[in-house]
Amino acid sequence: MGPGPINADPRVLRAMSAQLVGQYDPAMTAYMNETMALYRAVFRTDNEATLLIDGTSRAGIEAALVSMIEPGDRVLVPIFGRFGHLLREIAERCGADVHVIEREWGTVFTPAEVEAAITGIRPKILAIVHGDTSTTLAQPLDELGAICERNGVILYTDVTASLAGNAFELDAWGVDVATAGLQKCLAGPSGSAPISLSAKAVELVNSRKSVEAGIRSEGDAVSASPIRSNYFDLSQILDYWGPKRLNHHTEATSMLYAARECARLLVQEGMDNAVERHRLHGTAMVTGLSAMGLELFGDQSVRMNNVVGVEIPAGIDGDGVRAALLQDFGIEIGTSFGPLHGRVWRIGTMGYNARRDTVLTTLAALEQVLRRRGFSLTAGSGVGAALDFYND
Amino acid sequence: MGPGPINADPRVLRAMSAQLVGQYDPAMTAYMNETMALYRAVFRTDNEATLLIDGTSRAGIEAALVSMIEPGDRVLVPIFGRFGHLLREIAERCGADVHVIEREWGTVFTPAEVEAAITGIRPKILAIVHGDTSTTLAQPLDELGAICERNGVILYTDVTASLAGNAFELDAWGVDVATAGLQKCLAGPSGSAPISLSAKAVELVNSRKSVEAGIRSEGDAVSASPIRSNYFDLSQILDYWGPKRLNHHTEATSMLYAARECARLLVQEGMDNAVERHRLHGTAMVTGLSAMGLELFGDQSVRMNNVVGVEIPAGIDGDGVRAALLQDFGIEIGTSFGPLHGRVWRIGTMGYNARRDTVLTTLAALEQVLRRRGFSLTAGSGVGAALDFYND
């Protein structure tokens, strides 16, 4: 019940035990095409260029940024938590001229603040995290696409922590590139990074295409400004996933099976229903925590449905509580990074763990652990409030 | 029965269906430590820095090269097949001053040729493929460590195609860095890249360390020549796998389970026994193919045990034969790249598919497919020769 990775859906684990097939077996290329179609539904997009990067969620981030950024390009990164710093770090390593604006952790930016920075800095790319798990908050993105559009800026966002647990509309919001991971609300293991690129982003990436040395033919593209990575070269990866099926990496078959099953389950449930499930159980958790007298961290009006920050009460050993929950009850919760390390717990209700029994069991266990450490609370208050919420 | 990926060992597939645990759960960090120890046995090394890169085998290559290469560094790449071109491509994207020497596909380099190039070019790094699946040959490496040592050169090799099917002695041969994948003789799925670094390589990588922006503390390292990638920054990844457990990516848990099981099965069998198994079944396959009157491709004295190249006979439609084997018999074999595309088939006997039944069935099916296409051969010749070989 931490901020992710969390327990995977058993159906996803089972999907990974299917036998492998060759990478150009018609069965395999059909699975790849099905996976692309499923993730279009998950991201809410018609983008043809919707596929998987073979690596963890930050592999998706790096693939997006290194494929778009030419050294010296201006990139604007609004930072409101640890993962904003990560976007800055990756963009810097790509050679970008990175400009940042920062908000205190626990808050998010207004669209006007972002637009003011854009008009001042005139970046090529706006790189912003949607849900930053470190603070549990989600930056509203629905107005940023229009702002970027009228300023000629590419909008990139990482939705690893938020996707499928909170509304996300790639096309409707005018997002150019989004990247994700499986280990949060998608209920799978870390290790595959779904990504979707708009036609504009594909055009940018393909303008830098160089066909790989070992398989290059007469007349194939060779770029004057090649992408600095081979593994993350989206122009090559698109040719591997596209009708050319040009050899690149060897697709990670078992992780593709996992990613496909994650998306299949979400599409079967319906994306709106999945978000509503996360809202329901996340709200039940928050209701229970508040009823136990715990203080929540950050601006609750923009909290993600799937994770909540709890201020560790004065005099309580936060790490001791986490250890007792894990060792005595088999329940993992997290702390956070940087200024929030040891100051907040982060409790997730996401993916396969967004369920009534996990919420109630976690509240019950937390009550027991806190009581033995001298935290004063009314017996049954957390579970009772959550049950009342469910019964309403 | 292609050049890989091939069928995974069912025990590896089953290992991936274990439930996930949190990334800092003591169970998970213990699995990480166990995995490091197992891969030391697989690579035949005492290197502390033996771990997994979360991506396919070429992710391991890029992690090794981008972490060691500073822009402008001279790198020597001897090329004797498609994957030598890949090393060149990746090194170039890292900003290296890449020098290549080339041999005709189907041959390998003598140690003297490599040393002559080293003394002429004076590279910082020698980057060479061990087994190049495109040609089925393995470059002898046992003398290159000493050559590199006396010339002050770092020796990097990719052993994805060869490891566990052919002798490889990281420490005894003086290799500094080796990278691999699971999808060949390790009998697992693509998607995790075992890597091992000598103390000298670790020192080089750590000299470029910058602790990540989002988790940097007062006094932490900030490099003047930072590694160009965050995802592949081995100095950071070593701190994640090491006692500091500094947050980096979220380890791909299911792929770690797979990688651990691949190594566990090999260590249980014994590395020498695994190589001998590949030699046995590879030789049986080759004996059968030759008895059918087929010509083998390349210098057979340095052929890998686990894959053989077969010249497609004149007048035979190579792709048609492959399609018939797949569609009618459920057996996949490969062709190759570049100058060998459509000229050779590549037939593998590796990992879980290095077995007597798979060898005999493949020979039997190939006879049937070739016969119907008008290739003249003695009935039962391939299977008979292989059986005779086994019975000797």
Side-chain angles (χ1 to χ4, degrees):
Chain A
M1 302 299 282
I6 45 85
N7 304 74
D9 192 307
R11 292 169 289 185
V12 175
L13 297 175
R14 200 171 55 207
M16 279 190 289
S17 65
Q19 187 49 276
L20 310 182
V21 291
Q23 62 175 325
Y24 295 113
D25 189 309
M28 180 66 184
T29 51
Y31 295 150
M32 292 171 79
N33 289 341
E34 286 168 28
T35 303
M36 296 175 89
L38 285 164
Y39 277 94
R40 287 184 197 112
V42 171
F43 281 120
R44 304 265 203 179
T45 182
D46 293 329
N47 286 341
E48 175 67 22
T50 303
L51 56 141
L52 305 177
I53 301 298
D54 283 2
T56 71
S57 36
R58 77 168 61 191
I61 298 172
E62 189 157 320
L65 292 181
V66 78
S67 293
M68 292 196 292
I69 293 171
E70 295 188 51
D73 278 348
R74 265 200 301 281
V75 175
L76 172 63
V77 184
I79 297 176
F80 60 100
R82 181 245 194 284
F83 291 97
H85 285 285
L86 179 63
L87 298 191
R88 174 176 69 173
E89 154 110 5
I90 294 174
E92 280 174 355
R93 296 208 179 199
C94 297
D97 173 18
V98 180
H99 295 251
V100 305
I101 51 175
E102 295 198 50
R103 286 285 308 216
E104 191 186 356
W105 290 26
T107 70
V108 296
F109 294 89
T110 64
E113 287 171 320
V114 175
E115 181 154 30
I118 285 177
T119 52
I121 293 157
R122 295 259 148 234
K124 172 174 157 183
I125 297 166
L126 174 67
I128 189 164
V129 169
H130 184 210
D132 197 312
T133 23
S134 68
T135 69
T136 75
L137 304 190
Q139 170 66 46
L141 296 179
D142 52 327
E143 295 182 42
L144 297 191
I147 291 171
C148 285
E149 175 74 31
R150 66 175 170 261
N151 287 279
V153 172
I154 297 266
L155 173 54
Y156 161 70
T157 186
D158 179 63
V159 298
T160 299
S162 56
L163 187 66
N166 306 269
F168 178 72
E169 302 278 344
L170 195 146
D171 285 356
W173 294 355
V175 172
D176 286 299
V177 183
T179 57
L182 306 185
Q183 74 273 21
K184 311 273 185 183
C185 303
L186 275 68
S190 171
S192 181
I195 186 172
S196 183
L197 296 91
S198 69
K200 188 164 66 174
V202 169
E203 191 184 346
L204 169 59
V205 162
N206 278 341
S207 73
R208 306 182 64 203
K209 175 160 29 181
S210 280
V211 174
E212 191 172 301
I215 55 172
R216 192 181 297 150
S217 303
E218 200 73 13
D220 273 347
V222 180
S223 171
S225 174
I227 291 164
R228 275 190 176 183
S229 169
N230 167 274
Y231 191 70
F232 292 134
D233 183 331
L234 279 166
S235 72
Q236 296 187 347
I237 296 170
L238 285 166
D239 279 345
Y240 178 61
W241 282 77
K244 287 187 192 164
R245 297 283 172 207
L246 219 48
N247 185 244
H248 187 257
H249 62 285
T250 298
E251 182 57 18
T253 317
S254 303
M255 285 306 305
L256 179 128
Y257 292 165
R260 176 165 162 269
E261 184 69 0
C262 289
R264 195 189 66 77
L265 293 171
L266 283 170
V267 168
Q268 187 181 52
E269 178 180 14
M271 293 306 293
D272 289 336
N273 295 335
V275 171
E276 172 57 22
R277 170 168 53 85
H278 283 89
R279 195 201 58 75
L280 175 73
H281 297 297
T283 308
M285 179 68 87
V286 164
T287 303
L289 293 167
S290 296
M292 290 164 72
L294 294 164
E295 296 291 326
L296 307 181
F297 171 79
D299 179 352
Q300 294 299 300
S301 72
V302 288
R303 178 177 46 73
M304 282 190 278
N305 289 324
N306 48 301
V307 60
V308 59
V310 178
E311 301 269 6
I312 299 172
I316 297 288
D317 168 16
D319 285 352
V321 167
R322 291 200 301 131
L325 278 172
L326 182 61
Q327 287 158 19
D328 295 340
F329 296 89
I331 295 171
E332 184 187 77
I333 67 169
T335 179
S336 190
F337 301 98
L340 301 184
H341 186 82
R343 185 184 144 193
V344 305
W345 293 309
R346 291 179 299 158
I347 303 179
T349 43
M350 62 181 87
Y352 183 63
N353 285 356
R355 301 197 312 263
R356 183 172 167 132
D357 62 307
T358 56
V359 168
L360 296 176
T361 305
T362 301
L363 291 168
L366 185 59
E367 175 180 322
Q368 298 300 326
V369 171
L370 286 175
R371 173 183 305 282
R372 281 184 70 92
R373 284 162 191 267
F375 182 73
S376 167
L377 80 175
T378 306
S381 53
V383 169
L387 274 173
D388 288 348
F389 168 79
Y390 280 126
N391 292 339
D392 282 352
Chain B
M1 302 300 283
I6 46 84
N7 303 76
D9 191 307
R11 293 169 289 187
V12 175
L13 298 175
R14 201 172 54 206
M16 278 190 290
S17 64
Q19 187 49 275
L20 310 183
V21 290
Q23 63 175 321
Y24 294 114
D25 189 310
M28 180 66 184
T29 52
Y31 295 150
M32 292 171 78
N33 290 340
E34 286 169 27
T35 303
M36 296 174 91
L38 286 164
Y39 277 95
R40 287 185 196 111
V42 171
F43 280 120
R44 303 266 204 180
T45 181
D46 293 328
N47 286 340
E48 176 66 24
T50 304
L51 55 142
L52 305 176
I53 301 297
D54 284 0
T56 72
S57 38
R58 76 168 60 193
I61 298 172
E62 189 156 319
L65 293 181
V66 78
S67 292
M68 293 197 291
I69 293 171
E70 295 186 51
D73 279 347
R74 266 199 301 281
V75 175
L76 171 63
V77 183
I79 297 177
F80 60 100
R82 180 243 195 286
F83 290 98
H85 285 286
L86 179 63
L87 298 191
R88 174 175 71 174
E89 154 109 5
I90 293 175
E92 281 174 354
R93 296 209 180 198
C94 297
D97 173 20
V98 181
H99 296 251
V100 305
I101 51 176
E102 296 197 50
R103 287 284 309 218
E104 191 187 353
W105 290 26
T107 70
V108 296
F109 294 89
T110 64
E113 286 172 320
V114 175
E115 182 156 28
I118 284 177
T119 52
I121 293 159
R122 295 261 149 230
K124 171 175 159 183
I125 298 166
L126 173 68
I128 188 163
V129 169
H130 185 210
D132 197 311
T133 22
S134 68
T135 70
T136 77
L137 304 191
Q139 170 66 46
L141 297 179
D142 53 328
E143 295 182 42
L144 298 190
I147 291 171
C148 285
E149 174 72 29
R150 65 174 171 264
N151 287 281
V153 172
I154 297 266
L155 172 55
Y156 161 71
T157 186
D158 179 63
V159 298
T160 298
S162 57
L163 188 65
N166 306 270
F168 179 71
E169 302 278 345
L170 194 146
D171 285 356
W173 294 354
V175 171
D176 286 299
V177 183
T179 56
L182 306 185
Q183 73 274 20
K184 310 273 185 181
C185 302
L186 275 68
S190 171
S192 180
I195 184 171
S196 183
L197 296 91
S198 69
K200 187 164 68 173
V202 169
E203 192 184 344
L204 169 59
V205 162
N206 278 341
S207 73
R208 306 181 65 202
K209 179 167 12 185
S210 281
V211 174
E212 191 174 302
I215 56 171
R216 192 182 297 150
S217 304
E218 199 73 11
D220 274 347
V222 181
S223 170
S225 174
I227 291 164
R228 274 190 176 183
S229 169
N230 166 275
Y231 191 71
F232 292 133
D233 183 331
L234 280 166
S235 72
Q236 296 187 346
I237 295 169
L238 285 166
D239 279 345
Y240 178 61
W241 282 76
K244 288 186 191 164
R245 297 283 173 208
L246 220 50
N247 185 244
H248 186 253
H249 62 286
T250 298
E251 182 57 19
T253 316
S254 303
M255 285 307 304
L256 178 128
Y257 293 164
R260 177 165 162 269
E261 184 69 0
C262 290
R264 195 188 68 77
L265 293 171
L266 284 170
V267 169
Q268 186 180 53
E269 179 180 15
M271 293 305 295
D272 289 337
N273 295 334
V275 171
E276 173 55 24
R277 170 169 52 87
H278 283 89
R279 195 201 58 76
L280 176 72
H281 298 295
T283 308
M285 179 68 86
V286 164
T287 303
L289 293 167
S290 296
M292 288 164 72
L294 294 165
E295 297 291 327
L296 308 181
F297 171 79
D299 179 352
Q300 293 299 299
S301 72
V302 289
R303 179 179 45 75
M304 283 190 277
N305 289 323
N306 49 300
V307 59
V308 59
V310 177
E311 301 270 5
I312 299 171
I316 297 288
D317 167 18
D319 285 350
V321 168
R322 293 200 300 130
L325 277 172
L326 182 63
Q327 286 158 20
D328 295 338
F329 296 89
I331 296 171
E332 185 188 74
I333 66 169
T335 180
S336 190
F337 301 98
L340 301 184
H341 186 84
R343 183 185 144 191
V344 305
W345 294 309
R346 291 181 299 157
I347 303 180
T349 44
M350 63 181 87
Y352 184 66
N353 285 355
R355 299 197 315 263
R356 185 173 167 132
D357 63 306
T358 55
V359 168
L360 297 176
T361 306
T362 301
L363 291 168
L366 185 59
E367 174 180 324
Q368 298 302 325
V369 171
L370 287 175
R371 173 183 306 281
R372 283 184 69 93
R373 280 155 196 273
F375 181 72
S376 167
L377 80 175
T378 306
S381 53
V383 168
L387 273 173
D388 288 346
F389 168 79
Y390 279 124
N391 293 338
D392 284 351

